[in-house]
Amino acid sequence: MRLEQRISVFPDAREVGRRLAARVADAIRNQPAIVLGLPTGRTPLLFYEELAALARSGAVDFSRVTTFNLDEFLGLTPEHPSSYRRFMQRYLFDHVNIDPARINFLNGAAADAAAEADRYEHAIAAAGGIDLVILGIGTNGHIGFNEPSSGLEARTHRVTLQPETRRSNAPLFGDDLDAVPLEALSMGMGTILDARAAVLLATGARKASCVERLVTGPITTGLPASFLQLHRDVEIMLDEAAAQRIRS
Ligand code: F6R
């Protein structure tokens, strides 16, 4: 099925969060030991809020769910207040009955980044692979921290963050751009595309241009998200603002 046929547009970001939370809750009910791939960032906040509300109401049971987050800043310990590990604790894990032993994260403070990336790939394989990965998209078209470039890495690896990506993450660091790490660890494009199903979320007008390129443009390393066109089971969930350039 062509990518255009897998797009759902909702009136606003709250509705995107609500619909995705309902979809993920259904997936957990159908497969209680599901393995999820999860993003951080501003876009999934409403999704996590809705999912936490469903968990509080008893509508979803996380006790057998396993999670793997997409990425982490290099040099930050899991306890660092600006780490993605802390972000996830605050916005999702503190609100659901997940078993801490089933939370998997890249350790940004690992002494050997390459060994840490390998460890993560093995952990994903040992868990049986990712069943459902939820993705945001950078304004430059990145997914995870796979930045646009002349070549993309297949597996979990160390990345240099582009200035635009560091600027987008500055709010996590009290708007101090200099405090945003220069590098990160990220699942690779192959790791992401190996997930059995993928959902990409984009909300707000600032994502309209990369969404247009994702949907109508060629598959190119210049827009890593465009590789989702190759995935057999991908859905794109947008609000009206992010969809404005693909609606005629
Ligand atoms: C972060 C991640 C990134 C973000 C992207 C969009 O874990 O995977 O690809 O999804 O940078 O970020 P927001 O949602 O803040 O616009």
Side-chain angles (χ1 to χ4, degrees):
M1 205 193 285
R2 290 172 54 80
L3 202 56
E4 288 92 323
Q5 296 164 282
R6 315 246 191 106
I7 299 172
S8 309
V9 182
F10 301 101
D12 53 35
R14 169 66 67 183
E15 191 59 16
V16 173
R18 211 183 332 257
R19 294 297 192 102
L20 179 61
R23 188 198 184 290
V24 170
D26 271 348
I28 295 172
R29 278 191 289 269
N30 290 333
Q31 190 182 352
I34 196 168
V35 179
L36 298 175
L38 296 176
T40 55
R42 264 164 288 180
T43 316
L45 286 175
L46 292 169
F47 157 57
Y48 290 142
E49 197 178 304
E50 295 287 341
L51 195 56
L54 288 175
R56 267 195 302 277
S57 73
V60 58
D61 174 12
F62 268 79
S63 61
R64 295 175 60 204
V65 172
T66 296
T67 63
F68 285 88
N69 265 79
L70 289 158
D71 39 26
E72 179 61 283
F73 294 107
L74 200 70
L76 301 195
T77 62
E79 299 75 31
H80 190 286
S82 305
S83 72
Y84 279 165
R85 179 67 185 81
R86 278 285 292 269
F87 175 104
M88 289 304 297
Q89 195 65 39
R90 175 167 176 200
Y91 291 109
L92 183 67
F93 300 148
D94 272 345
H95 309 282
V96 299
N97 64 330
I98 192 165
D99 174 355
R102 293 183 187 274
I103 297 172
N104 293 274
F105 237 92
L106 283 156
N107 179 3
D112 181 341
E116 176 60 6
D118 274 359
R119 180 196 67 77
Y120 211 55
E121 285 290 327
H122 283 111
I124 293 169
I130 295 172
D131 294 303
L132 172 61
V133 66
I134 313 297
L135 302 163
I137 181 169
T139 47
N140 64 2
H142 72 212
I143 51 176
F145 274 148
N146 294 281
E147 300 280 38
S149 104
S150 55
L152 295 173
E153 296 268 348
R155 296 292 148 202
T156 302
H157 60 291
R158 180 177 186 158
V159 292
T160 299
L161 298 174
Q162 293 192 350
E164 188 173 337
T165 301
R166 292 185 63 240
R167 273 195 300 278
S168 302
N169 277 279
L172 263 181
F173 294 82
D175 284 324
D176 177 4
L177 187 56
D178 293 335
V180 182
L182 296 167
E183 292 180 287
L185 291 168
S186 175
M187 281 187 199
M189 291 301 299
T191 323
I192 292 171
L193 293 171
D194 281 349
R196 289 173 194 97
V199 178
L200 181 134
L201 290 183
T203 56
R206 67 189 192 103
K207 299 290 171 71
S209 147
C210 59
V211 165
E212 179 184 30
R213 290 172 65 209
L214 161 65
V215 175
T216 61
I219 297 170
T220 164
T221 60
L223 190 91
S226 63
F227 280 78
L228 290 171
Q229 294 179 30
L230 297 171
H231 199 287
R232 279 176 195 281
D233 186 355
V234 62
E235 277 176 68
I236 314 278
M237 296 178 71
L238 307 173
D239 68 355
E240 293 280 356
Q244 61 187 262
R245 288 195 184 213
I246 57 170
R247 307 198 110 186
S248 42

PDB file of all heavy atoms in Angstrom, residues 39-44 70-71 84 136-138 142-144 206-207, ligand 1:
ATOM      1  N   PRO A  39       9.799   7.029  21.381  1.00  0.00           N
ATOM      2  CA  PRO A  39      10.519   8.290  21.176  1.00  0.00           C
ATOM      3  C   PRO A  39      10.395   9.219  22.391  1.00  0.00           C
ATOM      4  O   PRO A  39       9.514   9.045  23.228  1.00  0.00           O
ATOM      5  CB  PRO A  39       9.758   8.915  19.999  1.00  0.00           C
ATOM      6  CG  PRO A  39       8.322   8.541  20.293  1.00  0.00           C
ATOM      7  CD  PRO A  39       8.375   7.177  20.981  1.00  0.00           C
ATOM      8  N   THR A  40      11.256  10.213  22.418  1.00  0.00           N
ATOM      9  CA  THR A  40      11.075  11.339  23.340  1.00  0.00           C
ATOM     10  C   THR A  40      10.710  12.559  22.486  1.00  0.00           C
ATOM     11  O   THR A  40      10.354  12.410  21.322  1.00  0.00           O
ATOM     12  CB  THR A  40      12.363  11.594  24.137  1.00  0.00           C
ATOM     13  OG1 THR A  40      13.400  11.781  23.202  1.00  0.00           O
ATOM     14  CG2 THR A  40      12.687  10.425  25.049  1.00  0.00           C
ATOM     15  N   GLY A  41      10.824  13.744  23.053  1.00  0.00           N
ATOM     16  CA  GLY A  41      10.527  14.957  22.289  1.00  0.00           C
ATOM     17  C   GLY A  41       9.188  15.541  22.689  1.00  0.00           C
ATOM     18  O   GLY A  41       8.474  14.988  23.518  1.00  0.00           O
ATOM     19  N   ARG A  42       8.856  16.676  22.071  1.00  0.00           N
ATOM     20  CA  ARG A  42       7.600  17.352  22.420  1.00  0.00           C
ATOM     21  C   ARG A  42       6.381  16.631  21.856  1.00  0.00           C
ATOM     22  O   ARG A  42       5.336  16.567  22.470  1.00  0.00           O
ATOM     23  CB  ARG A  42       7.615  18.789  21.869  1.00  0.00           C
ATOM     24  CG  ARG A  42       8.071  19.792  22.909  1.00  0.00           C
ATOM     25  CD  ARG A  42       8.452  21.100  22.261  1.00  0.00           C
ATOM     26  NE  ARG A  42       9.714  20.947  21.522  1.00  0.00           N
ATOM     27  CZ  ARG A  42      10.317  21.898  20.839  1.00  0.00           C
ATOM     28  NH1 ARG A  42       9.778  23.086  20.744  1.00  0.00           N
ATOM     29  NH2 ARG A  42      11.460  21.677  20.228  1.00  0.00           N
ATOM     30  N   THR A  43       6.542  16.088  20.630  1.00  0.00           N
ATOM     31  CA  THR A  43       5.371  15.510  19.958  1.00  0.00           C
ATOM     32  C   THR A  43       4.685  14.402  20.756  1.00  0.00           C
ATOM     33  O   THR A  43       3.453  14.394  20.827  1.00  0.00           O
ATOM     34  CB  THR A  43       5.765  14.983  18.558  1.00  0.00           C
ATOM     35  OG1 THR A  43       6.603  15.949  17.932  1.00  0.00           O
ATOM     36  CG2 THR A  43       4.549  14.710  17.702  1.00  0.00           C
ATOM     37  N   PRO A  44       5.427  13.465  21.364  1.00  0.00           N
ATOM     38  CA  PRO A  44       4.715  12.359  22.034  1.00  0.00           C
ATOM     39  C   PRO A  44       4.160  12.697  23.417  1.00  0.00           C
ATOM     40  O   PRO A  44       3.558  11.829  24.049  1.00  0.00           O
ATOM     41  CB  PRO A  44       5.779  11.258  22.127  1.00  0.00           C
ATOM     42  CG  PRO A  44       7.081  11.967  22.094  1.00  0.00           C
ATOM     43  CD  PRO A  44       6.879  13.233  21.337  1.00  0.00           C
ATOM     44  N   LEU A  70      14.504   5.055  21.525  1.00  0.00           N
ATOM     45  CA  LEU A  70      15.247   5.192  20.273  1.00  0.00           C
ATOM     46  C   LEU A  70      16.651   5.741  20.456  1.00  0.00           C
ATOM     47  O   LEU A  70      17.554   5.398  19.690  1.00  0.00           O
ATOM     48  CB  LEU A  70      14.492   6.151  19.339  1.00  0.00           C
ATOM     49  CG  LEU A  70      13.203   5.599  18.751  1.00  0.00           C
ATOM     50  CD1 LEU A  70      12.288   6.734  18.310  1.00  0.00           C
ATOM     51  CD2 LEU A  70      13.533   4.696  17.566  1.00  0.00           C
ATOM     52  N   ASP A  71      16.818   6.631  21.445  1.00  0.00           N
ATOM     53  CA  ASP A  71      18.093   7.349  21.481  1.00  0.00           C
ATOM     54  C   ASP A  71      18.375   7.955  22.851  1.00  0.00           C
ATOM     55  O   ASP A  71      17.497   8.002  23.713  1.00  0.00           O
ATOM     56  CB  ASP A  71      18.125   8.426  20.383  1.00  0.00           C
ATOM     57  CG  ASP A  71      16.785   9.135  20.214  1.00  0.00           C
ATOM     58  OD1 ASP A  71      16.011   9.181  21.188  1.00  0.00           O
ATOM     59  OD2 ASP A  71      16.507   9.632  19.121  1.00  0.00           O
ATOM     60  N   TYR A  84      17.216  11.594  28.263  1.00  0.00           N
ATOM     61  CA  TYR A  84      15.964  11.039  27.754  1.00  0.00           C
ATOM     62  C   TYR A  84      15.436   9.962  28.707  1.00  0.00           C
ATOM     63  O   TYR A  84      14.232   9.742  28.809  1.00  0.00           O
ATOM     64  CB  TYR A  84      16.179  10.465  26.355  1.00  0.00           C
ATOM     65  CG  TYR A  84      16.157  11.515  25.243  1.00  0.00           C
ATOM     66  CD1 TYR A  84      16.648  11.199  23.981  1.00  0.00           C
ATOM     67  CD2 TYR A  84      15.630  12.782  25.450  1.00  0.00           C
ATOM     68  CE1 TYR A  84      16.611  12.123  22.948  1.00  0.00           C
ATOM     69  CE2 TYR A  84      15.590  13.717  24.418  1.00  0.00           C
ATOM     70  CZ  TYR A  84      16.080  13.382  23.176  1.00  0.00           C
ATOM     71  OH  TYR A  84      16.037  14.295  22.141  1.00  0.00           O
ATOM     72  N   GLY A 136       8.823  10.058  16.211  1.00  0.00           N
ATOM     73  CA  GLY A 136       8.594  11.449  15.861  1.00  0.00           C
ATOM     74  C   GLY A 136       9.429  11.739  14.620  1.00  0.00           C
ATOM     75  O   GLY A 136      10.105  10.851  14.086  1.00  0.00           O
ATOM     76  N   ILE A 137       9.399  12.957  14.151  1.00  0.00           N
ATOM     77  CA  ILE A 137      10.244  13.338  13.002  1.00  0.00           C
ATOM     78  C   ILE A 137      10.850  14.707  13.290  1.00  0.00           C
ATOM     79  O   ILE A 137      10.152  15.617  13.756  1.00  0.00           O
ATOM     80  CB  ILE A 137       9.430  13.315  11.674  1.00  0.00           C
ATOM     81  CG1 ILE A 137      10.310  13.685  10.477  1.00  0.00           C
ATOM     82  CG2 ILE A 137       8.198  14.197  11.749  1.00  0.00           C
ATOM     83  CD1 ILE A 137       9.643  13.427   9.105  1.00  0.00           C
ATOM     84  N   GLY A 138      12.149  14.832  13.044  1.00  0.00           N
ATOM     85  CA  GLY A 138      12.801  16.136  13.214  1.00  0.00           C
ATOM     86  C   GLY A 138      12.406  17.062  12.074  1.00  0.00           C
ATOM     87  O   GLY A 138      12.005  16.595  11.000  1.00  0.00           O
ATOM     88  N   HIS A 142      14.895  13.792  10.369  1.00  0.00           N
ATOM     89  CA  HIS A 142      15.509  12.648  11.058  1.00  0.00           C
ATOM     90  C   HIS A 142      14.448  11.801  11.765  1.00  0.00           C
ATOM     91  O   HIS A 142      13.384  12.299  12.135  1.00  0.00           O
ATOM     92  CB  HIS A 142      16.618  13.090  12.017  1.00  0.00           C
ATOM     93  CG  HIS A 142      16.182  13.789  13.258  1.00  0.00           C
ATOM     94  ND1 HIS A 142      16.940  14.765  13.874  1.00  0.00           N
ATOM     95  CD2 HIS A 142      15.075  13.668  14.053  1.00  0.00           C
ATOM     96  CE1 HIS A 142      16.320  15.181  14.965  1.00  0.00           C
ATOM     97  NE2 HIS A 142      15.191  14.533  15.099  1.00  0.00           N
ATOM     98  N   ILE A 143      14.758  10.522  11.940  1.00  0.00           N
ATOM     99  CA  ILE A 143      13.977   9.665  12.852  1.00  0.00           C
ATOM    100  C   ILE A 143      14.988   9.008  13.789  1.00  0.00           C
ATOM    101  O   ILE A 143      16.098   8.681  13.380  1.00  0.00           O
ATOM    102  CB  ILE A 143      13.072   8.623  12.142  1.00  0.00           C
ATOM    103  CG1 ILE A 143      13.810   7.802  11.100  1.00  0.00           C
ATOM    104  CG2 ILE A 143      11.864   9.295  11.530  1.00  0.00           C
ATOM    105  CD1 ILE A 143      12.930   6.698  10.468  1.00  0.00           C
ATOM    106  N   GLY A 144      14.568   8.804  15.072  1.00  0.00           N
ATOM    107  CA  GLY A 144      15.597   8.557  16.068  1.00  0.00           C
ATOM    108  C   GLY A 144      16.549   9.742  15.933  1.00  0.00           C
ATOM    109  O   GLY A 144      16.116  10.881  15.690  1.00  0.00           O
ATOM    110  N   ARG A 206       5.332  23.493  11.939  1.00  0.00           N
ATOM    111  CA  ARG A 206       6.767  23.435  11.629  1.00  0.00           C
ATOM    112  C   ARG A 206       7.170  22.070  11.063  1.00  0.00           C
ATOM    113  O   ARG A 206       8.275  21.917  10.535  1.00  0.00           O
ATOM    114  CB  ARG A 206       7.615  23.872  12.817  1.00  0.00           C
ATOM    115  CG  ARG A 206       7.586  22.982  13.984  1.00  0.00           C
ATOM    116  CD  ARG A 206       8.258  23.538  15.229  1.00  0.00           C
ATOM    117  NE  ARG A 206       8.385  22.442  16.168  1.00  0.00           N
ATOM    118  CZ  ARG A 206       9.504  21.782  16.410  1.00  0.00           C
ATOM    119  NH1 ARG A 206      10.624  22.160  15.841  1.00  0.00           N
ATOM    120  NH2 ARG A 206       9.523  20.773  17.224  1.00  0.00           N
ATOM    121  N   LYS A 207       6.274  21.073  11.149  1.00  0.00           N
ATOM    122  CA  LYS A 207       6.585  19.760  10.563  1.00  0.00           C
ATOM    123  C   LYS A 207       5.988  19.599   9.160  1.00  0.00           C
ATOM    124  O   LYS A 207       6.204  18.574   8.510  1.00  0.00           O
ATOM    125  CB  LYS A 207       6.058  18.638  11.481  1.00  0.00           C
ATOM    126  CG  LYS A 207       6.663  18.611  12.881  1.00  0.00           C
ATOM    127  CD  LYS A 207       8.114  18.191  12.862  1.00  0.00           C
ATOM    128  CE  LYS A 207       8.816  18.356  14.216  1.00  0.00           C
ATOM    129  NZ  LYS A 207       8.394  17.403  15.214  1.00  0.00           N
TER     130      LYS A 207
HETATM  131  C1  F6R B   1      13.747  11.514  20.019  1.00  0.00           C
HETATM  132  C2  F6R B   1      13.608  11.179  18.590  1.00  0.00           C
HETATM  133  C3  F6R B   1      13.576  12.290  17.607  1.00  0.00           C
HETATM  134  C4  F6R B   1      12.328  13.162  17.770  1.00  0.00           C
HETATM  135  C5  F6R B   1      12.321  14.323  16.789  1.00  0.00           C
HETATM  136  C6  F6R B   1      11.100  15.201  16.930  1.00  0.00           C
HETATM  137  O1  F6R B   1      13.721  10.345  20.801  1.00  0.00           O
HETATM  138  O2  F6R B   1      13.544  10.032  18.244  1.00  0.00           O
HETATM  139  O3  F6R B   1      13.613  11.780  16.303  1.00  0.00           O
HETATM  140  O4  F6R B   1      11.195  12.366  17.567  1.00  0.00           O
HETATM  141  O5  F6R B   1      13.465  15.088  16.977  1.00  0.00           O
HETATM  142  O6  F6R B   1      11.158  15.876  18.158  1.00  0.00           O
HETATM  143  P1  F6R B   1       9.934  16.785  18.642  1.00  0.00           P
HETATM  144  O7  F6R B   1       8.813  15.853  18.914  1.00  0.00           O
HETATM  145  O8  F6R B   1      10.437  17.434  19.901  1.00  0.00           O
HETATM  146  O9  F6R B   1       9.638  17.736  17.539  1.00  0.00           O
END
